[in-house]
Amino acid sequence: MGTAVDALRAVVGELPGGGEAREGQERMVAAVEAAINDHHHLAVQAGTGTGKSLGYLIPAICSGRRTVVATATKALQDQLVDKDLPFLAEHLDRPFTYAALKGRSNYLCLQRAKEALQSGQGTLPVDPDAERAPRHEIVTLVEWATHDTTSGDRAELTFEPTDRAWAAVSTSARECPGAARCPVGEACFAERARTAAAAADVIVVNLHLYGVHLASGQVVLPDHDVVIIDEAHQLEEIISATSGIDLGPGSFVNLSRTTRSLIVDDRLAGDLEATASQLGDALDGLRDQRLRHPDPALEAALGAGRGRIDAVLAAVRSIVSDDADVGARKQRVLRAATTLAEELMVLADVPPTSVAWVEGTARAPRLRVAPIDVRGPLAPLWEMPSVVLTSATLPAALPERLGFPPEAPTLDVGSPFDFEHHALLYCAAHLPDPRSGTTFDAAVHDELEALIDAAGGRTLALFTSWRAMTAAVEALRDRIHHPILEQGSLPKPALLRAFAVDEAACLFATMGFWQGIDVAGPTLSLVTIDRLPFPRPDEPLLQARRELARANAFTTVDLPRVQVLLAQGAGRLIRTATDRGVVAVLDPRLASATYRWAVVQALPPMRRTKNRAEVEAFLRSLRNDGSDQDGTGQ
């Protein structure tokens, strides 16, 4: 049997449109194969165009070891499951199986659906979610589950149900009693997905689910030998979220509704709703604050919540019934109440290794607790035989922050694209300091007008805040002669489709569009970035990390974030070997700050200029030479 590189060379010629193995891709395949066979870890930076998904899938499959691939974005998960793995299953000379696995709330719950249909018919207490949702939606969802799907995965729906309707027919991990205690456990869609995953050679999950797996003592996913963390630049923040607590008034409201579905006792449910109101009032007064000291109002609300949860648990445990449906509801209430009680115990004494803060809106404030340092929660990961971290952008400081073993190799395989000749990096060095407020905004709008005019539309304008994006849209809509598509005006997929089919269009968007966007060809010739994406100085979790890092705070906390986000944003431009265009950074600090070279060197190796006339001429030349941007290439 040949090597994984031999397998790569055998299949790349079968890629749609034809293809050939690339040097960087072959280096990655060989390194991943060695990591798996020799039982060590590996970090790989693989630039745009490397083909990193095949770069790790082929050696993982050839190894014969069960592999979990964890990704951060739905777009990459869909690419793996719908494109890359089916392609390899057809063309790789080695049989294997694969499956995708999601959190329970993504699958229709047959027991909840049954209860929702029975609500109001006198057979069971009224299900609160079913009572609030339109019955015709619930019937439609049940018919879909009965006749049109074998997975029960919400993503397969051809329509978008309301949140209330989906809540009436789904459950979460914090409520589900498990298949053994559920009357329809043997037919459960979520359990079927787990069973399929347990038998698969390659399991695709999102990073959030893998974080939950680590936090749960590694009981969520089937046993596996190899872990591939794609989009690893997001791992630290996701692990912080999955290792912490996210509590709001809705936690008590949901428990109240679940309790009402089992117990006809308005006092119990009413007390929980009163706690939700009390907690909401306490949190509203603390919004956007880091909690360094105990707050009397918040402590009182949490204390009341603990007492009322104890009352619910006592009442539920006293229920004795041979009815399977009642038993299922009882287990759901017990699980939800116990989980919430455990979270309140942690909140009663937040350890010094974590940070607590309040965020959200006045209507939906949230109390968040997260570990300052994720190396502890990630420690079980490094006990696995082989873990591969990969991303188009891996800051030098990231492996240490994750606890990645220092003896494990790291590799940068570069990108096959000719950035030097196909892309231009422009810094608007003449603009005022971004901290000058309206003066800077006005200058940015003037700069955008000139650049968009030269590009003939064809622009993805990225902003670091909704305020800045909205101000730019309002200022430029009547000043430029090209359609402006604004984030929030349409669902994200619809926005991208509208942008991709209209070469004259401009898409104005915020942080959600800085990564995971793939628009190739002449539609996108210009990416603008309003300012360097520094985090807010008062962002609680990063503030705590700065305090821990002390003198190294800027280089280990702030600078890596700027490097990653700017590289991700700039990476939207060149998506194929024939793409050409300009990345325009409208923040003059990229040309003058002491840290500027650290940021520039984290970007693809584009030609650089501060001369707007040169940029405008280049953009106009692209408009006149469409043959250079036919959107093809490997």
Side-chain angles (χ1 to χ4, degrees):
M1 183 177 293
T3 67
V5 172
D6 295 330
L8 170 69
R9 291 171 178 168
V11 302
V12 292
E14 303 297 331
L15 287 165
E20 59 183 19
R22 305 157 179 157
E23 179 187 356
Q25 191 178 43
E26 290 193 353
R27 290 173 60 204
M28 180 176 181
V29 166
V32 174
E33 181 178 44
I36 295 173
N37 290 342
D38 299 340
H39 300 288
H40 65 73
H41 306 317
L42 172 70
V44 184
Q45 180 165 284
T48 305
T50 299
K52 61 183 168 64
S53 57
L54 295 188
Y56 57 70
L57 286 175
I58 288 176
I61 293 167
C62 289
S63 75
R65 296 187 173 96
R66 176 174 290 156
T67 299
V68 169
V69 180
T71 77
T73 63
K74 184 178 184 298
L76 182 52
Q77 293 168 49
D78 290 344
Q79 175 190 314
L80 291 171
V81 175
D82 299 334
K83 179 182 175 184
D84 295 334
L85 286 165
F87 168 79
L88 291 176
E90 180 179 357
H91 297 288
L92 194 62
D93 188 20
R94 183 183 184 96
F96 70 94
T97 56
Y98 61 91
L101 185 61
K102 302 179 180 180
R104 285 190 180 274
S105 61
N106 291 281
Y107 302 96
L108 183 138
C109 172
L110 294 170
Q111 176 63 22
R112 288 273 284 160
K114 175 184 176 183
E115 294 169 4
L117 285 180
Q118 291 176 325
S119 293
Q121 297 178 359
T123 56
L124 284 172
V126 174
D127 184 300
D129 291 314
E131 187 179 41
R132 295 162 62 88
R135 185 170 180 80
H136 70 86
E137 273 198 272
I138 294 173
V139 171
T140 301
L141 287 167
V142 172
E143 289 177 345
W144 167 76
T146 305
H147 303 294
D148 301 326
T149 181
T150 57
S151 72
D153 186 347
R154 179 174 179 170
E156 289 188 4
L157 285 168
T158 57
F159 64 95
E160 184 62 25
T162 63
D163 289 341
R164 287 178 178 175
W166 187 255
V169 297
S170 65
T171 190
S172 64
R174 65 186 297 147
E175 293 180 27
C176 178
R181 296 184 175 182
C182 179
V184 294
E186 292 184 0
C188 175
F189 287 123
E191 289 298 324
R192 286 185 193 174
R194 287 174 60 87
T195 300
D201 299 306
V202 180
I203 307 165
V204 179
V205 303
N206 62 35
L207 280 177
H208 188 275
L209 186 60
Y210 203 89
V212 171
H213 172 69
L214 293 175
S216 68
Q218 304 177 76
V219 300
V220 173
L221 299 176
D223 289 341
H224 50 281
D225 303 310
V226 180
V227 185
I228 311 289
I229 305 292
D230 203 343
E231 302 170 313
H233 61 280
Q234 298 193 50
L235 182 60
E236 183 176 22
E237 299 312 313
I238 291 174
I239 293 299
S240 289
T242 57
S243 303
I245 291 173
D246 183 351
L247 179 76
S251 302
F252 287 93
V253 172
N254 290 338
L255 180 57
S256 171
R257 292 175 181 173
T258 307
T259 301
R260 283 186 190 274
S261 73
L262 176 69
I263 302 174
V264 184
D265 185 339
D266 290 338
R267 180 184 58 80
L268 276 177
D271 284 348
L272 290 171
E273 290 167 3
T275 299
S277 179
Q278 184 182 0
L279 178 62
D281 291 341
L283 293 178
D284 186 42
L286 300 169
R287 274 190 302 122
D288 301 322
Q289 293 184 40
R290 180 178 169 187
L291 305 182
R292 297 177 180 269
H293 308 288
D295 178 81
L298 178 58
E299 287 194 319
L302 296 177
R306 286 192 292 271
R308 287 161 179 170
I309 291 173
D310 287 343
V312 169
L313 288 170
V316 172
R317 287 169 179 149
S318 68
I319 295 175
V320 178
S321 174
D322 294 329
D323 187 292
D325 291 327
V326 171
R329 290 178 186 242
K330 176 180 176 179
Q331 292 300 323
R332 273 209 306 274
V333 177
L334 285 174
R335 184 170 176 85
T338 301
T339 301
L340 186 54
E342 290 171 350
E343 291 177 342
L344 294 182
M345 288 179 63
V346 175
L347 292 171
D349 187 19
V350 176
T353 54
S354 294
V355 60
W357 73 96
V358 180
E359 62 184 29
T361 65
R363 295 187 62 181
R366 311 289 304 174
L367 173 58
R368 297 283 307 279
V369 176
I372 300 171
D373 188 334
V374 300
R375 286 178 292 186
L378 278 174
L381 179 63
W382 311 125
E383 296 174 2
M384 298 290 296
S386 301
V387 178
V388 176
L389 304 180
T390 186
S391 175
T393 310
L394 279 180
L398 183 63
E400 180 182 357
R401 296 188 61 80
L402 299 176
F404 186 75
E407 69 276 8
T410 60
L411 178 67
D412 184 349
V413 300
S415 168
F417 293 159
D418 187 0
F419 287 98
E420 183 178 356
H421 293 97
H422 286 187
L424 189 62
L425 174 63
Y426 166 57
C427 177
H430 61 282
L431 263 60
D433 190 294
R435 292 162 289 190
S436 63
T438 55
T439 302
F440 175 72
D441 287 348
V444 164
H445 301 159
D446 292 341
E447 198 78 8
L448 283 171
E449 181 180 8
L451 293 172
I452 291 171
D453 180 67
R458 304 181 178 195
T459 299
L460 174 62
L462 298 174
F463 298 87
T464 52
S465 70
W466 279 89
R467 182 208 62 78
M469 182 196 74
T470 302
V473 171
E474 292 177 352
L476 294 174
R477 194 175 294 281
D478 295 329
R479 288 169 55 179
I480 63 175
H481 306 294
H482 305 283
I484 293 180
L485 302 170
E486 178 184 2
Q487 181 180 350
S489 62
L490 290 171
K492 188 174 182 178
L495 266 181
L496 291 173
R497 285 194 298 270
F499 179 55
V501 300
D502 186 355
E503 286 190 19
C506 303
L507 175 56
F508 284 38
T510 61
M511 300 303 291
F513 285 70
W514 285 55
Q515 49 194 342
I517 304 302
D518 192 356
V519 180
T523 295
L524 180 50
S525 300
L526 172 64
V527 173
T528 67
I529 294 172
D530 68 331
R531 63 176 72 200
L532 298 180
F534 280 105
R536 286 171 39 193
D538 60 346
E539 191 172 326
L541 183 54
L542 295 184
Q543 188 182 68
R545 287 177 178 161
R546 291 187 195 101
E547 293 169 0
L548 190 65
R550 298 186 178 180
N552 296 322
F554 182 76
T555 56
T556 61
V557 178
D558 294 279
L559 188 58
R561 184 181 189 273
V562 173
Q563 291 172 315
V564 167
L565 287 176
L566 194 65
Q568 290 289 321
R572 299 315 95 208
L573 180 68
I574 303 296
R575 307 304 299 174
T576 74
T578 56
D579 285 348
R580 298 174 68 189
V582 172
V583 174
V585 180
L586 309 184
D587 188 331
R589 291 175 292 182
L590 187 63
S592 60
T594 56
Y595 53 80
R596 64 188 183 279
W597 291 117
V599 177
V600 169
Q601 289 165 6
L603 298 174
M606 299 174 277
R607 289 183 296 122
R608 300 187 297 272
T609 185
K610 302 176 187 176
N611 186 331
R612 192 174 84 189
E614 179 184 356
V615 175
E616 292 176 344
F618 181 58
L619 289 170
R620 289 194 175 95
S621 74
L622 297 182
R623 293 170 60 185
N624 297 327
D625 189 10
S627 62
D628 281 336
Q629 286 195 327
D630 60 6
T632 63
Q634 194 189 161

